[in-house]
Amino acid sequence: MKILITGKNGQVGQSLYLALQAFPNVDVLACGREELDITNSLAVQEVVSRYKPDVIINAAAYTAVDKAESEQSLAFDINATGPKNLAMAANDIGSSIIHISTDYVFAGDHVDDYKEVDATSPKSVYGQSKLAGEVAVAEMCERHVIIRTSWVFSEFGNNFVKTMLRLAKSNSSLNIVGDQFGGPTYAGDIASAILQIAFSLYNGNQAYGIYHFSGYPTVNWADFAQTIFQQAYTKGLIESAVVVNSIPTEQYPTPASRPKNSRLNCDKIYSEFNVSASNWLAALKNINQYQKDNEQ
């Protein structure tokens, strides 16, 4: 089996490459932007036609949510044009594509958790660019799996967990938004889910379409932060637990609007691929690894 990974330097990309070390019989070509600019259609066609992967996993993305409001063209190039190029190339050689999307494709005003069939209505440029990527992938390659996820964290790159650990060093209390709800998702679990799906597709499963995969239980940002600090204190990473003050979104204005409800229903991915929701509480038990990376 041959797998092409784009976005190898991101949280999911690095987690995928790490997880694939357990599968020595899988041939992997992992590319960052320096090896493959996915916005360049000719470059994508050349690499894909030469390597001929069975599955393309697109983990490349523009994820600077607030900067996207002023960098709209760049966000759409990476999040929409890039996936379109990959999907076209996958279709040309008869391979499958797994594309990672986001909870930000929803407005966030839904009462219940979001299912795959619920209407999309992104409120930010980032969300709009990611939705455009979903549409392009679905249109360009029938053999697609689109995975919407949320609140990604890991040992790699920049994320909420590592930001909280850094702030805990110099703050005894922090104001954290408490009226935005979602599922923190460990990138290592996303990687495991993607590989399980990739192997299933390779073995003939044709359950193509859109799927939700995120962490459980769902929380708000303030409670997530509180759990991070409690775990860090228990492991001796911080000298005292940080006091978290829950505040409304209106008291923490940002250039891009965030959905207040990012809760994703993950029943479909379990039904079709036997993939369970991410256990973010278990992932936080290895919080020492996040601290070590912060100190490098």
Side-chain angles (χ1 to χ4, degrees):
M1 181 179 182
K2 299 174 72 174
I3 296 177
L4 169 63
I5 298 172
T6 61
K8 74 170 186 179
N9 297 316
Q11 293 190 78
V12 176
Q14 292 189 67
S15 297
L16 277 167
Y17 192 76
L18 190 63
L20 278 164
Q21 303 311 302
F23 302 94
N25 293 330
V26 177
D27 192 325
V28 181
L29 176 60
C31 299
R33 186 165 187 172
E34 60 277 9
E35 290 92 13
L36 177 59
D37 179 359
I38 64 172
T39 68
N40 184 327
S41 60
L42 292 179
V44 169
Q45 289 174 4
E46 193 278 326
V47 169
V48 171
S49 62
R50 172 168 46 84
Y51 182 62
K52 291 182 171 57
D54 297 293
V55 180
I56 296 173
I57 301 173
N58 181 34
Y62 179 103
T63 58
V65 176
D66 287 323
K67 287 183 67 177
E69 296 297 312
S70 58
E71 294 183 346
Q72 181 171 342
S73 179
L74 180 59
F76 271 83
D77 281 348
I78 298 173
N79 291 342
T81 303
K84 177 181 179 180
N85 292 337
L86 290 166
M88 289 175 63
N91 188 65
D92 287 344
I93 65 167
S95 66
S96 301
I97 181 168
I98 299 174
H99 173 66
I100 303 170
S101 191
T102 174
D103 55 307
Y104 279 58
V105 299
F106 295 112
D109 53 7
H110 201 48
V111 175
D112 300 316
D113 51 2
Y114 280 97
K115 296 182 179 180
E116 289 83 355
V117 295
D118 286 326
T120 54
S121 182
K123 299 170 69 176
S124 64
V125 170
Y126 167 70
Q128 292 161 9
S129 70
K130 292 297 289 183
L131 179 58
E134 288 188 13
V135 172
V137 168
E139 288 181 346
M140 293 299 129
C141 184
E142 179 184 2
R143 296 172 300 279
H144 68 270
V145 168
I146 295 167
I147 300 175
R148 294 175 180 149
T149 190
S150 62
W151 299 21
V152 180
F153 70 94
S154 70
E155 303 90 331
F156 311 111
N158 298 313
N159 55 69
F160 186 77
V161 173
K162 293 167 76 170
T163 297
M164 291 301 103
L165 291 176
R166 185 177 68 252
L167 292 174
K169 295 179 179 180
S170 55
N171 295 273
S172 59
S173 67
L174 288 168
N175 295 331
I176 307 293
V177 171
D179 60 356
Q180 296 175 16
F181 292 83
T185 314
Y186 177 53
D189 291 339
I190 299 174
S192 296
I194 287 174
L195 292 183
Q196 191 166 330
I197 291 170
F199 294 140
S200 183
L201 296 178
Y202 179 70
N203 288 320
N205 189 338
Q206 297 183 15
Y208 304 121
I210 297 175
Y211 293 87
H212 289 171
F213 179 79
S214 64
Y216 190 83
T218 55
V219 291
N220 60 52
W221 288 110
D223 288 344
F224 186 26
Q226 189 68 69
T227 306
I228 293 167
F229 295 139
Q230 290 172 347
Q231 191 66 31
Y233 178 68
T234 299
K235 293 294 180 70
L237 300 182
I238 56 178
E239 295 181 359
S240 60
V242 177
V243 175
V244 175
N245 303 310
S246 178
I247 62 170
T249 297
E250 290 71 25
Q251 291 185 21
Y252 190 75
T254 55
S257 176
R258 267 75 170 168
K260 285 196 173 183
N261 175 20
S262 283
R263 295 179 295 129
L264 301 177
N265 184 296
C266 300
D267 291 345
K268 182 182 175 184
I269 199 169
Y270 180 78
S271 175
E272 295 290 350
F273 293 106
N274 198 32
V275 170
S276 299
S278 172
N279 188 339
W280 64 269
L281 288 168
L284 278 187
K285 291 182 179 179
N286 297 319
I287 200 165
N288 303 67
Q289 298 300 317
Y290 307 83
Q291 182 76 0
K292 288 179 181 178
D293 194 66
N294 260 356
E295 293 172 346
Q296 290 179 357

